[in-house]
Amino acid sequence: MSSSKPPFPDRIELSGEGLVLRDWTEADVAAMPDLFDHPDIAYWTPIVSPFDEAAARARLDRVRQLRADGTAILLAITTDGRAPLGEVMLRRAPEGTELGYAVGPAHRGRGLAVRAVRVMAAYAFEQLGADQVILELEAENAASVAVAVKAGFGLLDVPLIEGEEKGRPYLLQTWGLRPAP
């Protein structure tokens, strides 16, 4: 981590837009497979598949390590601070402050991702001093593109990001949002 960036707080809870974004806990391990063991999540995200209890425990350890390293914050999306419905991520990267999200299949269609992205973007602007937050999305992922548009992001005129994940090539578009004046 660059010495110019302060470490993330040990605990984070963000509220807004009818959501409570909170740290993942040991108590969430049992719920994580229902959220993340799904073909859509396996296809569109780097989250491991199949996603079972062992994967959930490994993810919880990784979430804590990323926070400790000052690289990323991953928070459970909830409506009341209790049962997790999905996840939102903020990652410090060379290309900027990147956000990401995944919502469990049973909880889709409620605007959770859009609201979680807006709350996390506000945190990035207000608490971390980010001058822009970005989303990196495949154009074919219509649900994620819809989240970007509804959350107020615009497609940036930058080169596509080429890569491969789980043996599948991808091209990512970069979407950006700046703080309101």
Side-chain angles (χ1 to χ4, degrees):
M1 176 178 79
S2 167
S3 61
S4 67
K5 297 194 184 207
F8 293 126
D10 290 336
R11 293 184 42 81
I12 298 176
E13 183 172 289
L14 307 176
S15 298
E17 305 232 5
L19 299 178
V20 177
L21 308 180
R22 62 159 176 82
D23 291 318
W24 287 104
T25 69
E26 291 289 334
D28 296 321
V29 168
M32 291 170 91
D34 286 340
L35 298 175
F36 300 133
D37 191 37
H38 189 270
D40 286 349
I41 290 175
Y43 188 82
W44 296 114
T45 77
I47 295 174
V48 299
S49 180
F51 195 95
D52 56 14
E53 186 173 332
R57 291 195 180 287
R59 185 157 183 85
L60 183 59
D61 290 343
R62 181 76 175 135
V63 163
R64 290 174 174 162
Q65 187 61 54
L66 289 169
R67 168 88 58 90
D69 291 346
T71 303
I73 302 168
L74 291 95
L75 300 175
I77 300 170
T78 77
T79 55
D80 57 6
R82 293 185 192 91
L85 310 173
E87 176 177 83
V88 63
M89 175 217 51
L90 178 147
R91 181 175 74 94
R92 291 175 170 154
E95 54 277 0
T97 302
E98 179 187 0
L99 304 183
Y101 44 86
V103 173
H107 310 292
R108 294 180 184 161
R110 298 168 45 191
L112 296 170
V114 171
R115 293 184 285 151
V117 164
R118 287 195 297 237
V119 170
M120 191 66 102
Y123 174 78
F125 296 138
E126 295 164 13
Q127 301 299 315
L128 303 179
D131 60 353
Q132 178 174 253
V133 292
I134 60 171
L135 300 170
E136 295 176 343
L137 311 171
E138 291 184 67
E140 297 81 14
N141 187 342
S144 279
V145 169
V147 168
V149 171
K150 289 176 186 174
F153 284 70
L155 185 59
L156 301 179
D157 186 17
V158 298
L160 294 173
I161 300 164
E162 296 182 55
E164 184 175 310
E165 185 75 40
K166 301 176 192 171
R168 182 179 78 80
Y170 63 77
L171 289 172
L172 300 177
Q173 299 176 324
T174 303
W175 294 72
L177 178 70
R178 294 200 179 273

